[in-house]
Amino acid sequence: MLTGKLWKRILLHRYLYLMLLPCLLFFIIFSYIPMGGLMLAFKDYKFNLGITGSPWIGFVYFERFFNDYQSMNLIKNTLIISGMKLFLYLPFPIILALMFNEIRGKFFRNVAQSISYLPHFLSWVVVVGLVQRVLAPDTGLLNETIANMGGDGSTYFLMEPDYFYQIMFGSHVWKSIGWDSIIYLAAISGINPDMYEAARMDGASKWREIWHITIPSIMPTILILFILSLGSILSAGFDQLYLLRTPGNMHLSDILDTYIIRVGLQGGQYGYATAVGLMQGLIGFILVVLANRLSRRISDTSVW
């Protein structure tokens, strides 16, 4: 009886299920089937034996990672950079969405939004190339400006560890803020205008409208995006960090993502790199589950 009802519903919504099919196939082919390769984390991989034929070695790679003298520094760097991208970055797209929402001129708002979205479509190679040109010693825009103002225009900012976090965070904000503001702007657009009208009749200022109506109304969206982003707490972004690395900031920019590429692809230690990557994913998954439960208990907002 239940099967009959199920098939009846599938038949009724067949076009929606057909639209869903390519997405399901994409995730099955590119996300779930490759998970079979996680066996490498527990095997002593031999090229001639293949993944299934290689001998099992248990948790040897995990023990090796935590006994490595670099592991604590890698985890610390990853957590610092991920923490900056998660917690420190969080208000930026929200504030930009609030600003876009307050622009009344449609043409100007469209132009401003388009300009803010453009950096998202640039690869990190292009973005870091621009950063290098702006911050280059002697010939860079920033150094020339400093020199024209009577200062020392020969600072190699990318080699100075004191400037690494500012450069990393600034380039991340510039590239991501416009695109990430889209979801918050969509959430703001869904707020009932009657609430603002009632607030204005009560004499509320614009700041009070934002604080008492807009922010609480988009709080579920903020919480859900934050919970989902916790899944990548140990993945601070390979492209950006790999390209920003210099001998001067190596002790700050070396993270788990760059380490996995170094030992896995460059060092040929596929099993060991898979084990470190698996650890990243498991910790992220556990954090998402815990944060989701906590959010559901506190605010009734949750991903599932």
Side-chain angles (χ1 to χ4, degrees):
M1 188 67 181
L2 183 63
T3 306
K5 282 185 178 179
L6 181 63
W7 280 111
K8 194 175 178 180
R9 287 178 59 187
I10 291 174
L11 192 62
L12 180 64
H13 303 292
R14 56 187 179 280
Y15 296 116
L16 293 176
Y17 284 109
L18 280 175
M19 292 170 65
L20 183 65
L21 190 59
C23 300
L24 290 176
L25 288 175
F26 176 86
F27 281 107
I28 290 170
I29 294 171
F30 295 106
S31 297
Y32 286 94
I33 292 177
M35 283 185 186
L38 292 175
M39 285 192 297
L40 279 172
F42 307 97
K43 290 204 164 196
D44 184 14
Y45 179 65
K46 308 288 184 189
F47 279 103
N48 57 332
L49 298 176
I51 295 177
T52 55
S54 298
W56 295 94
I57 57 169
F59 294 92
V60 168
Y61 291 138
F62 296 91
E63 292 176 10
R64 178 180 155 193
F65 173 73
F66 285 107
N67 289 330
D68 193 319
Y69 73 96
Q70 302 177 78
S71 61
M72 287 302 109
N73 189 53
L74 290 166
I75 293 172
K76 185 189 77 173
N77 288 343
T78 305
L79 287 175
I80 290 174
I81 293 171
S82 291
M84 291 178 72
K85 290 184 176 179
L86 278 178
F87 300 101
L88 197 58
Y89 170 73
L90 182 65
F92 284 83
I94 299 172
I95 292 170
L96 184 65
L98 292 171
M99 291 170 65
F100 282 147
N101 187 56
E102 296 304 322
I103 298 176
R104 291 293 167 254
K106 189 177 179 182
F107 175 77
F108 178 69
R109 183 170 64 179
N110 290 340
V111 171
Q113 284 181 269
S114 301
I115 291 173
S116 70
Y117 299 158
L118 282 177
H120 169 78
F121 298 100
L122 300 176
S123 73
W124 273 114
V125 175
V126 176
V127 174
V128 173
L130 289 171
V131 171
Q132 288 172 342
R133 298 290 292 179
V134 171
L135 301 179
D138 298 321
T139 57
L141 177 65
L142 183 58
N143 270 312
E144 285 194 348
T145 304
I146 293 172
N148 289 332
M149 295 174 70
D152 179 16
S154 61
T155 307
Y156 196 167
F157 290 100
L158 288 172
M159 286 289 288
E160 296 288 340
D162 291 342
Y163 301 113
F164 170 72
Y165 289 126
Q166 294 91 322
I167 295 169
M168 179 276 302
F169 186 70
S171 57
H172 174 69
V173 170
W174 183 75
K175 188 176 188 302
S176 309
I177 185 172
W179 189 256
D180 291 346
S181 69
I182 292 176
I183 297 178
Y184 297 115
L185 190 58
I188 292 171
S189 302
I191 299 172
N192 188 348
D194 293 343
M195 297 171 68
Y196 291 107
E197 190 175 343
R200 282 193 287 272
M201 289 175 68
D202 289 339
S205 64
K206 183 58 69 179
W207 286 111
R208 285 190 175 275
E209 287 180 22
I210 293 173
W211 187 254
H212 293 290
I213 298 174
T214 308
I215 298 293
S217 297
I218 66 171
M219 190 55 72
T221 304
I222 296 172
L223 281 174
I224 287 173
L225 291 178
F226 179 73
I227 291 169
L228 292 175
S229 62
L230 280 175
S232 58
I233 188 75
L234 285 183
S235 181
F238 166 76
D239 298 359
Q240 180 195 20
L241 274 300
Y242 189 79
L243 292 166
L244 284 176
R245 286 195 318 167
T246 65
N249 63 32
M250 186 70 79
H251 63 289
L252 298 175
S253 60
D254 203 16
I255 59 173
L256 287 172
D257 295 312
T258 55
Y259 181 69
I260 288 171
I261 296 296
R262 192 166 66 246
V263 299
L265 294 182
Q266 296 176 353
Q269 303 176 62
Y270 302 112
Y272 181 56
T274 304
V276 179
L278 178 61
M279 183 191 67
Q280 280 183 297
L282 284 177
I283 292 175
F285 177 72
I286 291 169
L287 283 176
V288 168
V289 171
L290 292 177
N292 190 61
R293 282 190 177 183
L294 184 64
S295 175
R296 186 168 52 198
R297 184 170 297 178
I298 294 174
S299 65
D300 290 332
T301 299
S302 60
V303 179
W304 65 85

